[in-house]
Amino acid sequence: MLPRERALPQVGLVLLALFTAMNLIAQNLPPEAAPIIAVSFPEAKSATPLDGRLLLLFSTDPAEEPRFQINEGAKTQIVFGMDVEEWKAGETLTIDAGNANVFGYPIRNLRDLKPGEYIVQAVLDRYETFHRADGRVLKLPTDRGEGRKWNRAPGNLYSKPAKLNWEPGKPSRNTLSLSEEIPAITPPADTKYIKHIRIQSERLSKFWGRPTFLGAHVLLPQGFEEHPEARYPLMVFHGHFPADIGGFRTEPPDPNLKPVYSERFRLNGYNRIEQEEAYKFYQTWTSASFPRFLIVEIQHATPFYDDSYAVNSANVGPYGDAINLELIPEIEKRFRGIGAGWARFVYGGSTGGWEALATKVFYPDLYNAAFVACPDPIDFRAYTVMNIYEDKNAYFIEGAHKLVPRSGHRDYQDLPTATMQDVNYYELALGTKSRSGQQFDIWEAVYSPMGEDGYPKRIFDKVTGEIDHQVAEYWREHYDLRHIMERDWATLGPKLRGKLHLYCGTLDNYYLNRAVALIEEFLNRAKNPPAEAEVRYGVNCEHCWNGDPALPNHLSRLRYNTMYVPKILEHITNSAPPGADLKSWRY
């Protein structure tokens, strides 16, 4: 058969040439030949110039504001982003197809936006200037009590949603004013059972060159006030930024609660199920037979994400030391914790699963057992769907004559819903220099060395997907938990033996089961000593299966705080030193 270009009819060649020429012309249209979005903010919102990421949002769904409709899934609406510095009140910034600094998702350029009617909105994700102890000056977003979310961060400016008729070939000027500001968040109040603590970390404040705080919510056991002599074991529940202790409700479910459909679990009225489970937890927690513990959820949002990953990092700071050597001892001091490694436990799922394992690996003497559910990649040979040490590209499987896109997310039927390129272009639209506040950017911020500009070094080029194997080697030696355990097993093994419990679904939506299988292979062959680890899989279970074979995941995920208790009691019995307090907390 003739090569395809030779087989085209002459008229096809003419049309192809005409289309190519028109496309080239469109790419070089002057701003006045196409629609322009002009954005400004009033002086009442800030008399001083602002830095940040200006986001322009387009939506065809009137159900809610566009700022709440941007995600990596198939139903996402559209975002275009650009960095701004020293933006003054009243000064107009324009976003148009000719602006090379604008990056869009899922549509790369404004010139490719389909004609039609849209709801538009602009948001400024505000950055602050950090003067770090190492002399670096960085412009970064900050958490203001919301857990580092650009669309909910207090102080971020936004415009009211407005209708816009978009006609790509017709010059027009459309104006948006960032007249609105997201209000401050009221901290949760203490109750009989839930207390809140906030401390300034000496280590983090030194690193960041400004006062930096850690927070925690503490769930007290029944009878805490009535038993002042009791001292308690500690359960640290790692995970994403918690607004308060989750899943604990002292009142029965609201009978007037309007059912809400859960797309994740394909269930109607899942909000009621959550309230029912929260009330059951309260009943269990306060029952006469339940052992008395302290449960802690930590607030450690960073400029890069809703939490720090609870380890020391060149870019994020010494959060591992700050949490484990400053915050945890202070909690135990205030709330009568036993304060010994045999009486401390870590657990969590997803991000919290990685943190639980990392905490046990990096601070093995400070904690007893780790319960690790659906962890973020714990072996970078399976960094979701890529091997960062051997693969060349994060976005494509490369053949001699073909590129196959890598999946970034799959549904319950094992069907891909987003590619790796989709996920990372979503992040790049929200922020450059690892500042999107999203998943791959925080892994990069935590695991990477610092770049020459003071920001995290890219593990792969965010546009092309090309992997930097020098950065990958740094990741291996510092944060590849399987590699670190295998490398240091002679010293770590005796401290981890019998203390690791890993759980993951075989149909994890983010392919996290791949890394669990690789770490299981090492744990099964580990010797001197043997690992004696527990590794279990939920067959055909999604993210985040946490080890309960009897319940569906939509229920088991709501029972983290009770499901590991029998095993925790067993660990305490087997590892408590002679003379340890095993009674004061068993009233």
Side-chain angles (χ1 to χ4, degrees):
M1 181 177 176
L2 290 172
R4 186 169 183 176
E5 63 272 20
R6 292 182 62 189
L8 279 174
Q10 188 64 30
V11 66
L13 290 173
V14 172
L15 290 173
L16 179 61
L18 179 60
F19 174 80
T20 303
M22 292 176 65
N23 190 46
L24 290 172
I25 292 171
Q27 292 181 26
N28 293 282
L29 282 174
E32 62 271 13
I36 290 175
I37 306 291
V39 187
S40 63
F41 67 90
E43 188 173 2
K45 294 304 176 187
S46 180
T48 59
L50 299 178
D51 301 324
R53 184 74 171 174
L54 179 59
L55 303 171
L56 178 62
L57 316 168
F58 289 78
S59 174
T60 55
D61 182 356
E64 57 183 340
E65 293 181 44
R67 62 188 170 115
F68 301 128
Q69 299 182 350
I70 308 301
N71 55 66
E72 61 190 39
K75 295 183 179 180
T76 184
Q77 298 298 316
I78 305 162
V79 56
F80 298 94
M82 62 181 288
D83 291 335
V84 297
E85 293 190 9
E86 295 294 313
W87 188 16
K88 298 177 182 178
E91 179 184 351
T92 298
L93 295 181
T94 60
I95 302 178
D96 57 71
N99 193 331
N101 296 319
V102 176
F103 192 95
Y105 163 85
I107 296 172
R108 174 68 181 81
N109 194 288
L110 266 169
R111 73 171 65 91
D112 300 318
L113 188 65
K114 295 179 181 178
E117 186 175 88
Y118 294 90
I119 302 169
V120 295
Q121 187 175 38
V123 176
L124 178 65
D125 190 13
R126 295 173 66 168
Y127 294 172
E128 296 181 14
T129 301
F130 289 78
H131 297 269
R132 286 200 319 213
D134 59 5
R136 301 285 188 177
V137 178
L138 304 181
K139 294 187 176 184
L140 299 166
T142 58
D143 169 64
R144 306 182 191 103
E146 86 292 349
R148 184 53 197 105
K149 293 179 174 62
W150 64 270
N151 54 2
R152 299 184 184 274
N156 278 0
L157 305 181
Y158 65 99
S159 68
K160 295 179 179 179
K163 288 186 178 180
L164 170 66
N165 189 32
W166 185 260
E167 299 182 64
K170 183 178 179 180
S172 63
R173 185 179 180 87
N174 307 276
T175 60
L176 297 173
S177 175
L178 304 180
S179 59
E180 311 303 306
E181 183 173 348
I182 300 175
I185 293 173
T186 302
D190 286 353
T191 67
K192 175 183 176 180
Y193 293 102
I194 300 175
K195 306 299 180 182
H196 306 91
I197 180 174
R198 188 170 185 260
I199 67 168
Q200 181 173 332
S201 164
E202 179 182 345
R203 289 172 172 84
L204 295 174
S205 298
K206 180 179 179 181
F207 178 88
W208 283 108
R210 59 162 66 184
T212 305
F213 298 85
L214 289 170
H217 312 307
V218 183
L219 181 61
L220 300 181
Q222 174 75 0
F224 180 84
E225 295 293 341
E226 294 79 8
H227 295 268
E229 79 289 350
R231 299 177 67 84
Y232 303 96
L234 184 75
M235 296 167 58
V236 181
F237 187 12
H238 278 290
H240 294 285
F241 184 91
D244 206 341
I245 287 287
F248 185 85
R249 181 183 176 89
T250 58
E251 298 177 353
D254 179 0
N256 299 316
L257 185 68
K258 183 179 179 180
V260 173
Y261 179 75
S262 169
E263 189 168 349
R264 175 181 178 183
F265 297 113
R266 302 169 294 282
L267 287 171
N268 193 37
Y270 188 61
N271 53 335
R272 182 172 180 83
I273 292 173
E274 290 178 314
Q275 287 195 1
E276 290 170 347
E277 287 296 315
Y279 183 59
K280 288 178 182 178
F281 174 41
Y282 158 70
Q283 293 175 307
T284 300
W285 184 251
T286 58
S287 64
S289 61
F290 196 77
R292 309 307 179 191
F293 296 111
L294 298 172
I295 288 180
V296 172
E297 294 189 34
I298 303 171
Q299 287 185 324
H300 48 123
T302 78
F304 294 100
Y305 199 53
D306 70 2
D307 78 11
S308 68
Y309 273 71
V311 293
N312 297 341
S313 164
N315 297 293
V316 178
Y319 272 90
D321 287 352
I323 291 170
N324 296 297
L325 305 181
E326 295 182 58
L327 180 62
I328 295 300
E330 183 62 24
I331 291 172
E332 291 176 323
K333 177 182 176 182
R334 294 193 194 184
F335 301 105
R336 306 200 310 267
I338 290 173
W342 64 267
R344 296 192 192 108
F345 297 82
V346 285
Y347 62 113
S350 195
T351 290
W354 192 95
E355 291 171 334
L357 182 58
T359 298
K360 182 59 182 173
V361 169
F362 293 133
Y363 301 91
D365 297 319
L366 297 186
Y367 294 89
N368 193 321
F371 298 87
V372 180
C374 51
D376 287 3
I378 50 181
D379 186 324
F380 296 152
R381 294 174 298 172
Y383 182 55
T384 65
V385 294
M386 76 192 86
N387 181 334
I388 65 170
Y389 309 125
E390 296 181 4
D391 292 333
K392 294 180 180 179
N393 195 282
Y395 299 162
F396 301 99
I397 300 171
E398 296 185 349
H401 309 289
K402 183 179 180 180
L403 298 178
V404 179
R406 297 184 190 274
S407 175
H409 184 274
R410 59 180 169 179
D411 66 12
Y412 69 101
Q413 301 177 89
D414 200 16
L415 298 175
T417 61
T419 68
M420 279 291 295
Q421 188 179 67
D422 289 336
V423 174
N424 281 277
Y425 277 16
Y426 161 64
E427 295 191 4
L428 191 53
L430 294 180
T432 58
K433 301 181 184 296
S434 307
R435 294 180 294 193
S436 70
Q438 303 302 314
Q439 188 61 78
F440 282 89
D441 275 357
I442 184 55
W443 285 336
E444 194 168 65
V446 173
Y447 305 151
S448 285
M450 189 189 305
E452 293 181 0
D453 61 356
Y455 295 92
K457 270 196 171 182
R458 291 289 193 193
I459 182 64
F460 53 79
D461 186 291
K462 204 73 167 177
V463 176
T464 68
E466 182 181 358
I467 296 173
D468 186 329
H469 291 106
Q470 286 188 333
V471 175
E473 284 303 310
Y474 182 93
W475 283 33
R476 189 204 304 263
E477 295 305 316
H478 292 81
Y479 300 103
D480 186 321
L481 299 181
R482 188 276 316 165
H483 171 75
I484 292 169
M485 284 195 291
E486 187 166 5
R487 181 193 67 196
D488 301 336
W489 191 250
T491 55
L492 277 177
K495 300 177 181 183
L496 302 182
R497 183 178 185 178
K499 302 294 181 66
L500 302 182
H501 304 264
L502 281 76
Y503 313 104
C504 197
T506 61
L507 201 60
D508 187 277
N509 304 94
Y510 304 96
Y511 305 90
L512 301 177
N513 53 295
R514 300 178 67 245
V516 173
L518 290 175
I519 211 168
E520 180 189 23
E521 185 274 330
F522 160 68
L523 293 172
N524 285 342
R525 62 178 167 80
K527 297 179 180 178
N528 300 320
E532 297 176 2
E534 177 191 27
V535 183
R536 291 186 179 181
Y537 300 93
V539 177
N540 293 330
C541 291
E542 296 177 78
H543 189 74
C544 185
W545 189 78
N546 56 5
D548 190 334
L551 291 175
N553 194 38
H554 76 270
L555 289 178
S556 66
R557 67 181 291 271
L558 302 176
R559 300 185 182 183
Y560 271 97
N561 289 322
T562 58
M563 66 185 299
Y564 303 135
V565 167
K567 293 179 180 179
I568 287 176
L569 289 174
E570 182 180 353
H571 278 290
I572 288 178
T573 302
N574 294 337
S575 60
D581 179 6
L582 299 177
K583 294 183 178 180
S584 73
W585 50 278
R586 297 302 301 272
Y587 51 79

